Amino acid sequence: MSRYQALAERFGTPLYVYDLDELDAARQALFDTLPEEFTLFYALKANPHPGLVRALREGEGRHCRPEISSTGELEAAVAAGFRGKDCLYTGPGKTPGELDEAIGLGVRLFSTDSVSDVRHVAEAARTNGVTANCLLRVNSASASATSSIRMTGTPSQFGFDSETLAEVLPTLREIDGISIAGMHFFPLSNAKDEASLIGEFQHTIELAARLQCELDLPLRFLDIGGGFTVPYAVPGDRGAYPELRGALEAALDTHFPRWRTEGPEIACESGRYLVGASGTLITRVSNVKVSRGRKFVILDAGINTFGGMSGLGRLLPVAVGVEPGETVESASLVGPLCTPGDILGREIDLPVLAPGDLVTIPNAGAYGPTASLLMFLGRPAPTEVIVRGEEVLSVSRIEHHRAYRPLDDSVPASTAGATR
């Protein structure tokens, strides 16, 4: 019996298995790729499981800091042993309640996307009697890479348009309760290749230096974003970046010649690269049917378990490994949900499968349960197991339930239903 078969028999399916040895290897590989002076943030949106977040804080070698976009992710970071002051809080729609909670828990570094966003951070900081550090997220008017997932150069809810910074800076400088600490860029995600990534970073560093000079913009901290890649739900290896460290050092030496000794502090961020290859999804075949000449393999895991972000057109289809000499057929891999949209892979190569067989989907450690339609149709969440080698370190499952609260007696009965 294989390792995954044994875990499936023990814990049932659908089942996520996260391997901390692979996570450690990914973290070490990324730190080896970056200049020694760099700070590395882990974007919890990729996978907020506290066991994985804790592993990125502990262990040998250099450690990551958390990049969060909600108080729920802040809770996960704290549960993993981080402090609020370790976090970078991002996102264009921070609410007053979220900001008050985050600042109360010690968060002091925020990436901001607009004048009103800065004002909201400042108001929460003043209420708590502190000063918050704001990075101005910059939406560059141009870009280097033409492939990958573009995150800049177009109208966006993210960031200050670079060409308008000169207009809004006088207003930003007058806002009490915040200190402008630097800039934050995130121009692309999941870079196609190393040349694309290097080109984008070089463009970002040059633009940051130019904005600092032209606008007399404070720059104690510079986050140049990420874009490190790993296959998603298909066999394959993490991206390799043998030329990146030298290219980054050369660009920084050119535009910030004293960056090693006088700053700014330079940061990168990554989500999928750090955790993606650590996860494997194990699912069992529930049924196999043929409809008008097409075969459908129906699993106990669907878009409620994995790939719920497929509507973005970025994540699917999955691919299943096939052993040498194994018979292969074309079929659609679908989930158990009562919707035609529950498709993990359409007309893909699969081994011949029958009800009860296990299917393992590799590189599934990023954008899994919490990026899926987890509550759709009320099916249970998948079990998540963390292992190191052959040792099972933890077993957990997200539980969802509806919490009712008492209605104020003063609320008229005619409106009570609307407030539940």
Side-chain angles (χ1 to χ4, degrees):
M1 182 180 294
S2 73
R3 175 195 194 191
Y4 291 136
Q5 287 174 323
L7 290 170
E9 290 297 321
R10 183 176 176 186
F11 299 110
T13 59
L15 177 69
Y16 277 91
V17 179
Y18 305 120
D19 189 334
L20 294 190
D21 288 337
E22 168 55 37
L23 182 143
D24 289 345
R27 175 180 61 179
Q28 187 61 52
L30 192 49
F31 272 118
D32 288 345
T33 290
L34 298 171
E36 187 174 345
E37 297 85 356
F38 270 44
T39 295
L40 179 60
F41 286 98
Y42 169 59
L44 267 73
K45 65 177 67 70
N47 192 328
H49 193 300
L52 300 183
V53 181
R54 184 179 299 110
L56 291 168
R57 183 182 65 84
E58 298 174 343
E60 298 181 0
R62 297 157 66 189
H63 301 148
C64 302
R65 290 174 59 182
E67 184 260 290
I68 58 175
S69 298
S70 70
T71 51
E73 290 185 345
L74 173 57
E75 181 182 356
V78 171
F82 285 103
R83 301 160 297 177
K85 69 178 184 179
D86 299 321
C87 298
L88 167 62
Y89 201 118
T90 70
K94 311 173 192 73
T95 68
E98 292 167 347
L99 287 168
D100 185 69
E101 181 178 347
I103 289 174
L105 288 172
V107 179
R108 295 293 181 269
L109 184 62
F110 295 86
S111 173
T112 53
D113 296 88
S114 62
V115 173
S116 55
D117 194 21
V118 175
R119 285 188 171 131
H120 295 158
V121 174
E123 183 177 354
R126 291 194 302 269
T127 298
N128 284 272
V130 301
T131 298
N133 292 310
C134 284
L135 304 180
L136 306 182
R137 178 163 175 171
V138 178
N139 179 7
S140 172
S142 60
S144 172
T146 57
S147 58
S148 314
I149 300 173
R150 299 282 347 137
M151 298 289 288
T152 194
T154 61
S156 174
Q157 70 268 43
F158 299 112
F160 294 83
D161 295 339
S162 57
E163 64 272 24
T164 67
L165 269 179
E167 301 172 20
V168 302
L169 265 177
T171 300
L172 295 176
R173 288 185 167 117
E174 293 175 357
I175 298 175
D176 293 329
I178 62 99
S179 172
I180 300 175
M183 287 179 276
H184 177 201
F185 295 80
F186 198 88
L188 84 168
S189 178
N190 205 25
K192 179 181 179 181
D193 50 39
E194 184 178 31
S196 299
L197 189 64
I198 288 175
E200 203 62 64
F201 281 149
Q202 289 170 331
H203 174 75
T204 293
I205 291 167
E206 185 278 330
L207 176 59
R210 179 163 58 83
L211 291 174
Q212 180 193 34
C213 180
E214 292 178 355
L215 306 179
D216 190 26
L217 186 63
L219 195 58
R220 291 181 277 120
F221 196 101
L222 174 60
D223 185 337
I224 63 174
F228 310 101
T229 188
V230 68
Y232 184 84
V234 297
D237 300 322
R238 297 186 307 271
Y241 307 103
E243 308 298 326
L244 181 59
R245 175 183 281 216
L248 286 172
E249 290 175 338
L252 289 165
D253 287 342
T254 298
H255 297 289
F256 298 99
R258 293 181 292 277
W259 68 278
R260 289 181 176 85
T261 56
E262 299 180 17
E265 181 180 352
I266 311 293
C268 277
E269 56 196 82
S270 177
R272 73 179 76 224
Y273 185 93
L274 290 167
V275 298
S278 72
T280 301
L281 172 60
I282 308 172
T283 175
R284 194 176 295 277
V285 178
S286 299
N287 195 13
V288 177
K289 66 163 290 186
V290 175
S291 174
R292 293 179 176 148
R294 290 178 55 191
K295 179 171 283 191
F296 293 84
V297 177
I298 303 167
L299 306 176
D300 59 7
I303 56 175
N304 61 317
T305 300
F306 183 73
M309 292 177 68
S310 60
L312 299 177
R314 298 177 178 176
L315 303 183
L316 300 183
V318 304
V320 176
V322 179
E323 297 296 326
E326 193 170 21
T327 302
V328 173
E329 64 178 1
S330 178
S332 292
L333 206 57
V334 303
L337 304 183
C338 191
T339 169
D342 191 16
I343 300 174
L344 298 183
R346 184 178 282 110
E347 295 295 309
I348 61 176
D349 288 339
L350 295 170
V352 178
L353 295 168
D357 289 345
L358 291 179
V359 172
T360 58
I361 299 173
N363 290 318
Y367 301 107
T370 57
S372 300
L373 304 182
L374 197 57
M375 293 184 66
F376 187 48
L377 294 188
R379 297 182 72 90
T383 300
E384 297 174 273
V385 172
I386 292 183
V387 302
R388 186 179 291 281
E390 298 301 318
E391 182 183 5
V392 176
L393 302 181
S394 74
V395 182
S396 63
R397 173 183 284 154
I398 298 171
E399 298 289 347
H400 36 263
H401 66 281
R402 191 178 305 279
Y404 287 92
R405 60 181 177 85
L407 291 175
D408 189 323
D409 291 339
S410 65
V411 177
S414 62
T415 63
T419 61
R420 288 183 188 273

